[in-house]
Every structure is written in structure tokens, then in C-alpha cells.
Amino acid sequence: MGPALPIVTDIVLVGGGHTHALVLKAWGMRPLPGARLTLINPGPTAPYSGMLPGHVAGHYTREALNIDLVRLARFAGARLVIGAVSGLDPAARQVTVPDRAPIGYDLLSVDIGVHSRMPEISGFDSHGIAAKPLDRFADAWARFVEGGGGPVTVIGAGVAGAELALAAVFRLRTATGAAEVTLIDKGDILDGIHPKARARLLAELAKSRVQLMPRETIAEISPASVTLASGSVLP
């Protein structure tokens, strides 16, 4: 075995999302000589959002959603930095993490996910719960189910919204024996997907008795209800 090649390229991955997890897995199986891989993430694990509906339905534990970044980085031979990135300097090619020296890079990839806040909906920040960040949603869902459940309103009737609505029905019926779930969208339900897929999903929503409210605009969310622009009030 010859001497190790010098590091000539620094590749920095910001965020431990599933895309970067796949990069680490592939890197571990076939590393690039002369390149150093660094992963930066606020914690040692990262939740996989693709498993969230299964967790909502009760099929997966909260712990099962977590990607073990320490183990994955070790497998890839990558450096793992635990911390939240506070700044990027593209000119100097540096990443800033509080209480650490700047981390230089030749190639930077950012995979930090999204936050689905809805500041345009009055009352959402105080009384609603966004599906992302996943940690906060999963904790709120657990408290809701353990507290006996109740009516659920899902805002956004794309594929993800429909999947969450179906998962909520399954879990609530399993845990409490009853489920009252409404799926709302300002457009059509499951708009834009293939007609055959849409027909099958609509059939599943009907079978699960999810109330569908297409072409509705939300005026306000209060502690116990959702008021629509049409005047309807949902618990």
C-alpha cells in the first residue's frame, strides 16, 4: 500500500439531509483520492422526512427516523462538525460555525431542508404546526395523540398533504377509535399529478372519510378553529 495522497480538494457538505447521507454512503464505498469530505450539521443525527408519514401513522418510532451521522461519517472517512452554520463567504470560500475556526472549501453543497412556515395565514405561527422542521412536528403530533387526539385540518392538498391526512386517520383510529380529518387547498385536491394516480389517491381519501375542501382560502387560525374566507369554521 503506497503513501496517502495529499489533500488537494476540500468538499464541505452543510446539512445532514438524506441527499448528503447518500453521498456519504457512496463515498464510503468509493472515496475520491486526494479529496477530504467534511459534513456540518447541528446535531449528531438528522431525521429523514420521507419516513414522517409512516411515523405519523404509527408504523415507525421517532428514533427510527434518525440518520446516524456519526456512524455514517466514520464509514465515509469524513470529518463531522457538530454545529449550525451561521455564515458563508463565497469570496473567501469559507463556512462559519460559531466557536470554531472558519472551515475552508473548494466545493460546497447545502442540504438543510425547508421550514414550511406560513406567515401569510393569520394565526398559523401561534396555533398551527408546520410539517417541517420534522422534529418539532413529530413532538407536537406525539403530544396530540397522547392527549386523546381531536379534529385535524391539513393545509395543502398535494401528494404530501394527502399522505399526511391518510396517516393521521390511520393513527387516530388506531389510538382513539375516531378520526375527523379535513384536507384543504386553495386549488384542486391533488392537482397536477397523473390522472390515474390522482384517482387512486382520491379513492383512498374517500375510503378513509377524509373531508375534502378544494378551492378554499384560510382567513384565520385560532386556538380551536380554522376560519375560511367563505365564512365556514372548522374545529
Side-chain angles (χ1 to χ4, degrees):
M1 187 174 181
L5 293 174
I7 300 299
V8 295
T9 302
D10 268 304
I11 301 173
V12 175
L13 310 178
V14 176
H18 65 273
T19 300
H20 282 170
L22 290 171
V23 171
L24 289 165
K25 180 181 178 182
W27 193 280
M29 294 187 289
R30 192 176 180 182
L32 183 64
R36 175 170 55 188
L37 196 61
T38 300
L39 174 68
I40 307 173
N41 195 71
T45 63
Y48 174 44
S49 58
M51 292 173 67
L52 176 63
H55 170 65
V56 169
H59 304 318
Y60 308 126
T61 65
R62 175 67 185 81
E63 292 72 26
L65 273 62
N66 287 337
I67 301 169
D68 187 340
L69 298 177
V70 175
R71 182 179 176 186
L72 199 51
R74 187 179 298 121
F75 170 73
R79 176 176 57 164
L80 176 62
V81 175
I82 303 297
V85 170
S86 60
L88 301 175
D89 186 342
R93 295 199 171 196
Q94 289 183 336
V95 178
T96 303
V97 178
D99 302 320
R100 294 188 64 98
I103 299 168
Y105 66 86
D106 296 293
L107 180 66
L108 178 71
S109 178
V110 179
D111 178 25
I112 58 174
V114 298
H115 286 226
S116 47
R117 296 179 67 237
M118 296 189 224
E120 72 277 9
I121 298 179
S122 176
F124 182 86
D125 283 349
S126 299
H127 310 300
I129 178 73
K132 291 186 177 183
L134 186 152
D135 291 10
R136 184 167 173 260
F137 181 87
D139 292 343
W141 177 250
R143 292 193 299 270
F144 178 71
V145 175
E146 290 164 5
V152 173
T153 297
V154 180
I155 303 170
V159 173
E163 189 176 13
L164 280 177
L166 290 167
V169 168
F170 184 90
R171 180 67 180 280
L172 290 172
R173 285 189 183 146
T174 302
T176 70
E180 184 182 338
V181 178
T182 301
L183 186 59
I184 300 179
D185 200 287
K186 62 184 178 181
D188 289 322
I189 306 297
L190 294 164
D191 191 26
I193 72 170
H194 191 280
K196 287 186 178 180
R198 183 171 187 265
R200 290 189 65 178
L201 281 168
L202 287 173
E204 287 297 325
L205 290 166
K207 179 180 176 183
S208 296
R209 297 194 296 278
V210 174
Q211 182 183 6
L212 305 181
M213 301 194 74
R215 297 178 293 282
E216 290 279 5
T217 302
I218 295 170
E220 184 180 10
I221 298 176
S222 69
S225 64
V226 175
T227 301
L228 304 180
S230 62
S232 298
V233 178
L234 304 172

